[in-house]
Amino acid sequence: MTPRAGAGGALPAMALALLLATGPAALAQQSGLSSALQRERLAFEIADTDGDLLISRGEFARDAAAGFSSLDTDGSLTLTPAELGEHDPALFGPVDGDGNGELTFNEVMTYKMQAFEAADTDGDGQLSFDEMVGAAEDQLGAAQ
Ligand SMILES: [Ca+2]
Ligand SMILES: [Ca+2]
Ligand SMILES: [Ca+2]
């Protein structure tokens, strides 16, 4: 359907992992934990557009949508495996609700908002940095 490599250059192999990670964070996979934490902090601050040190559902959804569009290079509102680059099929499957091998915007957002609820351990409808880091660590642990 589309050329294999978009003109936008190669996305990191972990693009899907990043998109599907609980928070805007979860850059933790490639580097040591301390610098990963710094990057999570940065990602958190980017997502926290009103600067109240909490990620609301709206902020989370906006961040997820931005992540989706940055990956959806042909603007089809679906993510194909080619657009995702190298990725772990184990991450792809749970998100691909209808199992057709492509991720729609709705599939991704449904998955992301479930992740939000799971990460919101105190149930206040917002993610603190700690909640986000905790969820990212759970996810990394589960992915090992
Ligand atoms: Ca906020
Ligand atoms: Ca699908
Ligand atoms: Ca919370």
Side-chain angles (χ1 to χ4, degrees):
M1 238 176 23
T2 51
R4 296 193 110 193
L11 287 157
M14 58 201 301
L16 178 64
L18 285 182
L19 176 66
L20 301 181
T22 303
L27 292 165
Q29 281 184 331
Q30 274 189 340
S31 46
L33 200 59
S34 58
S35 70
L37 265 181
Q38 285 171 2
R39 290 158 110 195
E40 290 202 35
R41 185 87 228 173
L42 187 65
F44 185 91
E45 285 169 3
I46 290 170
D48 178 22
T49 50
D50 67 359
D52 67 352
L53 300 180
L54 293 167
I55 307 287
S56 65
R57 283 189 182 85
E59 286 171 338
F60 189 85
R62 182 168 36 207
D63 189 77
F68 185 96
S69 352
S70 72
L71 290 171
D72 181 22
T73 48
D74 67 357
S76 65
L77 293 183
T78 59
L79 297 182
T80 61
E83 284 172 326
L84 295 168
E86 283 179 50
H87 61 272
D88 184 351
L91 287 173
F92 194 95
V95 189
D96 185 14
D98 64 3
N100 72 345
E102 296 187 353
L103 304 182
T104 63
F105 186 74
N106 279 342
E107 284 171 341
V108 169
M109 293 307 281
T110 299
Y111 180 89
K112 292 286 289 186
M113 295 323 286
Q114 283 169 354
F116 182 99
E117 302 304 332
D120 180 21
T121 49
D122 68 1
D124 66 351
Q126 315 227 59
L127 294 191
S128 64
F129 185 63
D130 284 347
E131 284 174 334
M132 206 174 78
V133 169
E137 283 172 355
D138 284 353
Q139 209 163 45
L140 289 175
Q144 299 292 318

